[in-house]
Amino acid sequence: MPPPEDVPRLAVDTDWPTIPQGAPFGEASGVDVDPSGNVWVLHRAGRKWEEPFPSAPIDEPTVFKFAPDGRLLAQWGAGQFIMPHGISIDPEGKVWITDVAREQVMRFSPEGALELTLGERGVSAQDAAHFGRPADVAFLPGRVLVADGYVNTRVAEFSPQGTFIRDWGAFKVAHAVAVDEAHIYVADREHARIAVHDHDGKELASWAARAGNHTYGLKPLGGGRLLAVEGRDGADRKSAIIRVYAADGTIEASYDIGLPGKDASLGHDLALGPDGHAYLADVAGGRVVRFKLPGGGVK
């Protein structure tokens, strides 16, 4: 087995965020930034990913909203999620959450009021009305893109009102989806690649991950560049390696943002703020960290 990759370590803001006493993160699975620059975190509040999944919802709040300076502004979600996975904020500030145990994608108001539910609770199928462990959500005008998912092999598209439009792709764990002005990017995790599509869903490129590593989260940096995080390497060791991809798929830079120690971190999701900060959700580390890319890589 080759040794773990040795890349420069990247410093994080150790005083961000401020978490209230008695409410530490559980497995932090998702992070996103809303149009006002506030940072939303989805975590499992004491629950571990174990299969078969339990049937009871998590009793504690699972959704935290932070101001850019790290102050906790709100928390909600108690009693609603079983195995929450991804959180995405749409251009109107609505909060979309995937739950792989519920087999559903849900839209909430910023205050936590449930407004829309896609999928049938607890039922897995690959069709217009069901999901197979949906993982992540992204948005284009008039379209909601769902990375679906751990069991299914597709990106499923819906209208913002929840009407099924179409699906496409042949992925092996479509773990994350993100968009920019010209592309749809899919973290095709177990195929160890990033799939690049146009807005019609046509595949334009396939960026193989280094050494068979597994990309978990990604966010566009502008101009076709992409920020990605690898949560496991090709030898199935947990990690949190950040990659900056150029528009042609070559790797511009790599950084280690994980905690020291074997399997201490698993980089799971990324978000970008309007102030140039980036955010990483670390499932194994039970944390969300804020950092900046050297050279102002976030545009």
Side-chain angles (χ1 to χ4, degrees):
M1 182 184 297
E5 185 177 3
D6 185 17
V7 299
R9 297 195 66 82
L10 196 60
V12 304
D13 294 340
T14 56
D15 59 351
W16 193 99
T18 303
I19 302 173
Q21 188 174 7
F25 288 148
E27 292 184 342
S29 62
V31 60
D32 205 2
V33 177
D34 69 20
S36 299
N38 298 309
V39 182
W40 293 76
V41 174
L42 183 68
H43 75 113
R44 297 178 184 143
R47 178 159 292 172
K48 300 289 187 182
W49 179 291
E50 293 178 345
E51 299 182 53
F53 294 140
S55 58
I58 297 169
D59 289 333
E60 302 299 322
T62 50
V63 180
F64 284 8
K65 176 186 177 182
F66 294 97
D69 64 6
R71 290 177 294 114
L72 182 65
L73 300 177
Q75 53 182 317
W76 48 264
Q80 290 184 295
F81 307 110
I82 298 173
M83 194 58 67
H85 190 274
I87 187 167
S88 303
I89 315 301
D90 71 18
E92 286 72 49
K94 304 291 188 178
V95 182
W96 295 73
I97 293 175
T98 66
D99 189 317
V100 295
R102 287 186 54 159
E103 295 285 11
Q104 290 177 317
V105 178
M106 291 155 279
R107 188 188 76 209
F108 295 86
S109 74
E111 295 74 34
L114 179 62
E115 298 178 340
L116 178 70
T117 301
L118 304 179
E120 183 178 355
R121 185 165 183 162
V123 178
S124 177
Q126 183 157 307
D127 58 33
H130 298 90
F131 298 107
R133 295 193 181 181
D136 192 28
V137 178
F139 311 98
L140 285 170
R143 296 155 67 187
V144 177
L145 312 179
V146 179
D148 181 35
Y150 280 80
V151 174
N152 289 349
T153 59
R154 62 179 180 165
V155 168
E157 298 192 18
F158 299 84
S159 75
Q161 295 74 38
T163 301
F164 179 78
I165 298 173
R166 62 171 183 161
D167 55 13
W168 47 270
F171 308 110
K172 188 176 182 182
V173 185
H175 195 265
V177 59
V179 303
D180 64 13
E181 63 276 5
H183 305 104
I184 301 169
Y185 303 91
V186 180
D188 192 3
R189 196 184 78 183
E190 298 309 303
H191 281 148
R193 71 175 189 135
I194 296 170
V196 184
H197 298 255
D198 65 16
H199 283 184
D200 291 327
K202 177 184 176 182
E203 185 167 316
L204 303 176
S206 178
W207 299 348
R210 181 193 179 278
N213 295 352
H214 302 285
T215 300
Y216 275 64
L218 36 75
K219 282 294 184 294
L221 291 168
R225 298 168 70 242
L226 191 69
L227 183 69
V229 61
E230 295 167 0
R232 292 170 18 251
D233 68 11
D236 212 32
R237 292 171 293 211
K238 295 176 183 176
S239 61
I241 300 295
I242 298 289
R243 308 282 189 198
V244 179
Y245 285 89
D248 63 358
T250 58
I251 295 174
E252 291 183 4
S254 302
Y255 305 100
D256 187 348
I257 202 167
L259 294 166
K262 182 176 182 292
D263 291 342
S265 284
L266 192 158
H268 200 262
D269 194 19
L270 292 166
L272 300 174
D275 58 359
H277 285 107
Y279 301 87
L280 168 78
D282 179 353
V283 165
R287 61 184 187 140
V288 172
V289 296
R290 184 175 75 168
F291 62 97
K292 281 196 171 184
L293 291 171
V298 179
K299 297 179 180 178

